[in-house]
Structures are given as structure tokens and as C-alpha cells.
Amino acid sequence: EAGVAQSPRYKIIEKRQSVAFWCNPISGHATLYWYQQILGQGPKLLIQFQNNGVVDDSQLPKDRFSAERLKGVDSTLKIQPAKLEDSAVYLCASSLLRQYNSPLHFGNGTRLTVT
Amino acid sequence: SQQGEEDPQALSIQEGENATMNCSYKTSINNLQWYRQNSGRGLVHLILIRSNEREKHSGRLRVTLDTSKKSSSLLITASRAADTASYFCATVSGGYQKVTFGTGTKLQVIP
């Protein structure tokens, strides 16, 4: 089976600019997660989708971050405007909802540098 | 916020030795998972232990879970240089399977 696809792999922008990341989960995976991983730290959950509905966005900075999952498949995460502290790797993961004890499958992430 | 705290933060061992990493968490869980992350890559799932299990094995990996102490440990036996990576515990909770990661242990295996 094909893995989780993310693009771009790297992105460098200046502060106050906007940026978008794209994720294509594994086919059939109902649950999709976006994580932010700052260098040297563990991944922090930003938002979790079940199909195309949001089930958890409690740690998403909603004044600047937004995410959508159209048709319950692909997802995009946007930052507008970016701040220096947004420099991090943004990881997308998906899992099978039907299997209660199912692992997450991760993409390789997008490394964002804000200058 | 991080659900799990891992200990130690960094570990350096010789090839062939065993490596033990510990994870403590705060709330009730459905299951606990361990992941590995090589530098510059995404996380890879290693092993899952359910809340009603106490121990689980997979190849050179052994995981224990003590729900009364809210702690877990990962043992890698006969370590290899290729095991060099960061290891994260992740707790899964709630009906929607919220997955929260710990702070990680950076393992270096010296050939």
C-alpha cells in the first residue's frame, strides 16, 4: 500500500508570509492528524479529522492556522501570517478508524523555516 | 501539551547492549504505542500495548505497561547501530483515538 504523502518537503518563507502544506493519507484511512514538531521535542497535535469533520483542534492557534479536509481524503494546513516560532516540521498521519487499536502511519513531513 | 514524559532524554550504549526507555503519562488510556524516528524522517510505529495488557514482545522489543503507575517501558535487546534514532511513547485516549506523544528519548548505539 502507498504511504502517507506530504508536500512540499521543505519550505522557507519570511515572517508574515503565508504557507500551505498538503497531505494525502493512505487510502481508506478515515482519521487524519496534523502534528507540529519543533526541533528536539515530541510531536504536538494541531488538529484531528475523522472523515471530513474536525474532532479535536484544541491546540490549533486558530488566529493564524487553518486546516481543511475536503471529501474526507486530502488535507491542507495553512499558516497566515507566519511567525518565527512556527519554524518546525509539520507531520501528517492517518489511521484506520474501524480498528480501535490501530497505529498511525506518518508522512515524512514538511520542514518549515520562517526567517 | 505533552501527555508523556520520557526518561532518559538521551542514552548512549555500545552495540550488543540492551537499551531501556521509560514513559510516564497522566490520564487514562485506551492503549499505548511506541514509535521510532530517524533524523529528518517521519515516525514509524514499533509496537502497541492495550490498556488491559501488561507485557508484549515483538522481535527484539519488549514493552511493559503499568496502568496503576501510569508508566510504560520499552526494552531493545542486543542493540545495533541501526537502532540509533529517537523513540517516542504515545498514549491513545478517548472515543476518537486522540494520540498524544511524549518528549522522546534519543538513543545512540555505538558500533
Side-chain angles (χ1 to χ4, degrees):
Chain A
E1 84 188 342
V4 176
Q6 288 189 249
S7 67
R9 190 76 175 90
Y10 304 94
K11 191 74 176 179
I12 300 173
I13 62 172
E14 295 182 352
K15 59 183 179 183
R16 290 187 289 274
Q17 287 186 324
S18 62
V19 64
F21 313 125
W22 174 81
C23 173
N24 185 13
I26 292 173
S27 177
H29 280 197
T31 308
L32 185 147
Y33 307 79
W34 282 103
Y35 286 88
Q36 178 193 59
Q37 187 176 26
I38 293 171
L39 187 64
Q41 299 183 17
K44 170 188 165 186
L45 179 65
L46 293 176
I47 189 167
Q48 179 182 346
F49 292 93
Q50 181 179 318
N51 295 309
N52 61 346
V54 175
V55 297
D56 192 314
D57 63 357
S58 56
Q59 297 189 90
L60 186 74
K62 298 180 185 65
D63 57 334
R64 299 184 301 107
F65 285 64
S66 64
E68 61 181 6
R69 190 182 184 196
L70 298 176
K71 301 179 182 178
V73 182
D74 293 9
S75 178
T76 56
L77 176 69
K78 297 178 182 177
I79 307 175
Q80 182 181 6
K83 293 185 176 180
L84 295 176
E85 58 261 36
D86 298 332
S87 293
V89 175
Y90 290 84
L91 295 163
C92 178
S94 67
S95 71
L96 276 169
L97 180 62
R98 288 201 181 92
Q99 292 186 13
Y100 193 65
N101 291 299
S102 58
L104 269 61
H105 298 261
F106 281 85
N108 283 327
T110 296
R111 182 177 297 276
L112 174 67
T113 302
V114 182
T115 62
Chain B
S1 61
Q2 306 288 159
Q3 160 77 301
E5 294 284 333
E6 292 181 64
D7 169 58
Q9 288 186 328
L11 180 61
S12 183
I13 59 174
Q14 296 289 329
E15 202 166 30
E17 294 182 335
N18 296 341
T20 299
M21 292 159 249
N22 302 296
C23 169
S24 60
Y25 58 92
K26 299 172 184 174
T27 63
S28 61
I29 62 172
N30 301 330
N31 65 67
L32 187 144
Q33 303 177 18
W34 285 88
Y35 288 80
R36 182 184 71 211
Q37 185 177 37
N38 290 91
S39 181
R41 310 286 288 182
L43 285 77
V44 175
H45 178 260
L46 293 175
I47 192 166
L48 179 154
I49 186 165
R50 304 181 186 196
S51 59
N52 61 353
E53 296 176 317
R54 292 296 167 258
E55 187 170 315
K56 198 160 185 181
H57 297 256
S58 176
R60 295 185 295 114
L61 305 180
R62 173 179 169 256
V63 171
T64 62
L65 178 64
D66 187 335
T67 53
S68 65
K69 294 181 179 178
K70 291 186 168 56
S71 67
S72 174
S73 67
L74 172 68
L75 169 68
I76 303 174
T77 60
S79 62
R80 305 166 182 170
D83 295 328
T84 294
S86 291
Y87 292 81
F88 296 91
C89 67
T91 55
V92 183
S93 57
Y96 289 113
Q97 294 199 79
K98 181 174 183 175
V99 183
T100 308
F101 285 84
T103 51
T105 293
K106 192 168 185 177
L107 173 67
Q108 181 184 26
V109 181
I110 302 167

